[in-house]
Every structure is written in C-alpha cells, then in structure tokens.
Amino acid sequence: MIKFENVTKRYGRKEILHSISLNIPKGKIVSIIGRSGCGKTTMLKMINRLVPITSGHILVNEKNILNMNPVDLRRNIGYVIQQIGLFPHMTVHKNLELVLALHQYPKRERKERIDEIMDKMGLTPDLLNHYPIELSGGQQQRIGVARALITDPEVILMDEPFSALDPLTRIALQDDLKHLQNKLQKTIVFVTHDMDEAIKISDYICLMREGHIEEYDTTETMLRHPATPFVENFIGKHRIWNSPEFIKAKDIMRPSVNTCYTQDSLERCLKKVQNTSYPYIIVIDPKTKKFRGFLDINSLQNKKAEQATASDIMYCPPSILHVEDTLTTVLHLIKESPIHYMVVLNDQETVAGVITQRNLLKALGEQYTTETEVM
Ligand SMILES: Nc1ncnc2c1ncn2[C@@H]1O[C@H](COP(=O)(O)OP(=O)(O)OP(=O)(O)O)[C@@H](O)[C@H]1O
Ligand SMILES: [Mg+2]
C-alpha cells in the first residue's frame, strides 16, 4: 500500500534518513518508533509530501507520489498530530465542516457525514457547538482523529497523537483506535516513542535508529526474536511477558508426551506409565493419531487385572488447549481444570504437548529468575 524505495533525506549536508526501504501493507497499523531525532516525523511527512524526498521513491497504491497531484494525494491521507491543530476560533462543527468543504463535499451531505463520524468516535452531538478550548484533551484529540477520518481516506498518518494526554485518557484512545480499526481496516502509520503503545496497537513495528531501520517486523516477531541487541535493549528484556496475548500454549507446553493406543491393554499402559516420571499417559487413535483421552496411574493400578483396553477406562477432559491459545486462556482453563495438566493439540487434533501446573509455574518463574529468553 505504501512503499519506501531507497528513500534518503538530507537537510543541507546532513543526511537524516539513509536509504530507507519499507513496505506498509494495506489495512494494517504500522508503528514507527525510535529515539527523538531519528527521523520518524520526517518519514511520515514525506508520505503526504509535506517534506520533499532527497532521493528514492515513495509509492502509494503503486503510484509514485511525485507523479500525483498533492491535493489528490492528501485527500486520500488523513493526518493526526500531537498538537491536534483544531482552529480555536471555530466550533467543533465548523472545524469538521472545513475539511469537508476543502474536499468539495456537497453542502447537503456534510451534516450527515459529521453526525456519522461523531457517532463512530463515541462523541456526543452536543460537543459540535463547543469551541476546542471548552473540551478536555481527550475529547479534542478524538475530534482530531474524527477530522482525519471524515473524508474516509485509505491511509491515516498519526504523529504521536496521544502523547500529550494523561495516561488513562491515552489508554482509552488507544482502545478506541483498535476498535475503530477492527471496523475500518485503514492503513495507519503511527509514530510513537512509547513501546507499550506500539505493542498494543500495531500489527508491525518499524524501529528506527539514527536514520536507519534497525528492525521492521510483526509485533510478535519483534517481541519474540528481536533482531539485534539494540532492539532487545529498546523493547526491554522479557517484554513479551507484559503482553500475555503473544505468549502461546506452544511456548509453555512440554512437547514430549507419553502415549498409548486406544486398544492397548491396561497392563501395557501401566508399564508405559511406570517407565516415566509422569503419573499419566495420553491415549491416541492408532490410525489417525488423534487425541482420545487420558489415563492416570491410579486408575490403571486399580483396574490392571481387568480385561479392558485403554479406551474403556480413559478420561476425556472437558477442555483442551490448542497450540495457539494464549497464556490468558491457559491460565483460565488450568485453574478450572479438575486435573493438574492439560493437553495441547495441533490443528489436526494430534497431541502437540502437555501443560502441567509445574511447567506453567516454571515458565512464568523464569522471567524473574534468568536473563535468558523463556521459550
Ligand atoms: N526543517 C528542518 N531543517 C533541518 N533539519 C531538520 C528539519 N526538520 C527536521 N530536521 C532534523 O532531522 C532529524 C529528524 O527529525 P524528525 O523530526 O524527523 O525526528 P523525530 O524522530 O520525529 O523526533 P521526535 O521524536 O523528537 O519527534 C532531526 O535531527 C532534526 O533536527
Ligand atoms: Mg517527531
């Protein structure tokens, strides 16, 4: 959707951006993050041609922006900045209407469009008659976002839009943006210097260092496998543990499991259990290898003399985990579980591993007790 091809920016003799190449996919939120002065705002402003490129190209929808009329280009790109930039002598209504007028929306459609966007942003219509100064910082910035969205552009550029707000309002606006994005699926380039904010809202993160891209990856990959020590330091060790949605059952489970087949005799199952240090065995289908149930050592010992097979006495737990289930789900289900372990299945319902309370505790504990990555 937005493509940087070897983009360089110089002010006088000083090179600010060094041959940046970057592909921002349609419908995703990409955060550009980095220390002050590393070139984030410059990158953003080059997209809507507020800052000229020294060399290289930027393509929007596969068209070189230099071959586009800047007015047409900006019509398709909303822009939100930290200072909000509402006109203080105009009511909220006038501020919003101005954008529609600039984009030549017919007068009769404007009212409807304004009401619609106010509603989308969770703003009550009575605010329309107020002047910006009469609104809270959070309300003003919501109007700022509404103004960027009002012409329904495909792309939205946001330059530290929430950084002047108090922490609670900031969190509320981040949540709003995420909800809104689920519905609208815009392509959003979001500049921030707050890693928590970037992790929370972005699909991809572009970490800048002195005019270079240090790493550009999905948020999850950057958290799991930071590409360089600089990235690791920037995001902070073990940061992934602050984001339980990125920690999956597959990261915590013990992959080697002890299995038997549905038609195995109880005696055979018991032998297998006794050969391991675990008091249970997993029963699988001999043909499909799909999970069927558990047997525990106590019931095997009690019934070993019976002429029965594993499938006759196996126990099928009420809830089962999937490899992609998040830590939150794991914790919730294991808390509810009548037994102290849970099986984790692959897509094909074959067994990927087991999570016991013990290895859950071990995985959680490692973030506090070791310096190494917990995986
Ligand atoms: N008009 C200009 N003339 C000369 N140098 C400039 C100009 N605009 C920006 N710069 C320089 O370019 C570099 C990058 O600036 P930019 O505003 O893109 O940084 P930033 O990453 O957005 O920083 P911050 O986090 O502080 O907003 C800085 O060193 C800045 O001083
Ligand atoms: Mg900036």
Side-chain angles (χ1 to χ4, degrees):
M1 175 83 198
I2 305 174
K3 209 169 182 181
F4 282 64
E5 290 179 346
N6 305 315
V7 173
T8 294
K9 177 67 194 171
R10 269 193 295 276
Y11 283 113
R13 266 195 253 142
K14 194 173 167 211
E15 193 167 289
I16 303 301
L17 291 171
H18 320 292
S19 195
I20 299 284
S21 294
L22 179 72
N23 203 349
I24 295 171
K26 190 176 166 67
K28 301 289 178 195
I29 303 191
V30 174
S31 281
I32 301 178
I33 188 164
R35 304 225 162 94
S36 184
C38 69
K40 305 180 295 293
T41 297
T42 308
M43 280 175 74
L44 213 60
K45 285 185 170 174
M46 289 196 302
I47 299 172
N48 61 5
R49 287 184 62 181
L50 288 175
V51 164
I53 303 167
T54 306
S55 66
H57 303 288
I58 295 180
L59 312 180
V60 173
N61 275 334
E62 283 155 31
K63 275 198 220 137
N64 188 333
I65 57 168
L66 288 183
N67 298 335
M68 295 167 78
N69 173 333
V71 177
D72 289 342
L73 176 73
R74 284 177 208 144
R75 185 169 298 154
N76 197 24
I77 302 182
Y79 189 35
V80 188
I81 52 174
Q82 181 188 328
Q83 301 80 5
I84 306 169
L86 299 175
F87 290 111
H89 58 287
M90 288 183 187
T91 61
V92 168
H93 186 274
K94 275 269 176 260
N95 264 285
L96 293 174
E97 194 184 19
L98 183 70
V99 183
L100 294 174
L102 285 173
H103 288 104
Q104 282 141 24
Y105 268 66
K107 263 205 164 119
R108 57 182 189 288
E109 286 176 23
R110 292 181 197 167
K111 172 87 178 70
E112 194 183 331
R113 188 71 197 125
I114 290 171
D115 290 345
E116 198 184 325
I117 200 72
M118 291 291 283
D119 184 47
K120 253 192 200 132
M121 292 301 302
L123 293 160
T124 50
D126 59 294
L127 294 178
L128 287 170
N129 298 322
H130 287 272
Y131 288 90
I133 198 161
E134 297 166 344
L135 310 182
S136 70
Q139 286 170 327
Q140 286 185 42
Q141 195 52 288
R142 280 193 173 87
I143 302 286
V145 177
R147 191 179 54 175
L149 286 168
I150 200 163
T151 55
D152 200 25
E154 279 186 282
V155 175
I156 308 198
L157 309 178
M158 305 181 95
D159 195 350
E160 305 204 29
F162 308 146
S163 59
L165 305 172
D166 67 86
L168 287 180
T169 311
R170 186 173 183 157
I171 288 169
L173 266 88
Q174 290 164 352
D175 291 339
D176 287 356
L177 180 67
K178 274 185 79 169
H179 285 134
L180 208 61
Q181 172 67 355
N182 284 342
K183 278 188 258 162
L184 302 182
Q185 305 284 303
K186 301 284 181 193
T187 306
I188 301 179
V189 191
F190 190 103
V191 166
T192 177
H193 55 250
D194 176 352
M195 199 64 188
D196 287 322
E197 183 166 78
I199 290 170
K200 181 169 170 187
I201 63 162
S202 349
D203 300 301
Y204 294 80
I205 297 179
C206 174
L207 176 52
M208 301 292 299
R209 180 187 188 184
E210 294 165 13
H212 289 286
I213 295 177
E214 184 76 9
E215 180 170 0
Y216 177 50
D217 250 320
T218 62
T219 305
E220 183 168 350
T221 307
M222 190 175 281
L223 278 174
R224 281 175 185 279
H225 310 291
T228 67
F230 179 86
V231 180
E232 191 172 5
N233 259 332
F234 198 97
I235 60 183
K237 282 203 166 67
H238 308 317
R239 174 70 73 112
I240 195 164
W241 291 97
N242 291 343
S243 311
E245 67 276 19
F246 289 122
I247 301 172
K248 306 286 169 65
K250 64 184 176 193
D251 302 322
I252 306 164
M253 70 188 189
R254 185 169 50 78
S256 65
V257 289
N258 193 17
T259 56
C260 65
Y261 293 133
T262 38
Q263 84 281 20
D264 281 350
S265 69
L266 300 187
E267 203 172 344
R268 184 177 159 81
C269 297
L270 182 61
K271 268 203 192 112
K272 274 191 151 186
V273 174
Q274 283 164 340
N275 280 339
T276 69
S277 54
Y278 300 103
Y280 57 87
I281 189 163
I282 288 171
V283 187
I284 59 173
D285 185 278
K287 277 205 195 104
T288 61
K289 309 282 188 261
K290 285 186 181 177
F291 172 72
R292 288 289 172 256
F294 281 111
L295 285 172
D296 68 70
I297 191 162
N298 291 336
S299 46
L300 280 169
Q301 271 166 341
N302 289 341
K303 300 194 177 172
K304 68 180 172 199
E306 289 180 18
Q307 287 294 321
T309 62
S311 60
D312 296 330
I313 67 160
M314 70 186 182
Y315 165 77
C316 195
S319 42
I320 295 167
L321 291 164
H322 180 264
V323 277
E324 294 296 330
D325 279 339
T326 67
L327 176 61
T328 322
T329 309
V330 173
L331 286 168
H332 178 72
L333 289 181
I334 212 157
K335 194 175 93 211
E336 306 286 309
S337 169
I339 49 175
H340 299 313
Y341 41 85
M342 295 202 73
V343 66
V344 184
L345 301 187
N346 293 308
D347 284 338
Q348 302 76 24
E349 291 173 46
T350 56
V351 180
V354 172
I355 295 181
T356 62
Q357 286 186 343
R358 192 161 156 252
N359 64 354
L360 186 60
L361 205 61
K362 190 164 162 259
L364 288 169
E366 272 178 50
Q367 62 163 320
Y368 300 110
T369 52
T370 72
E371 281 299 295
T372 52
E373 201 179 344
V374 186
M375 287 293 142

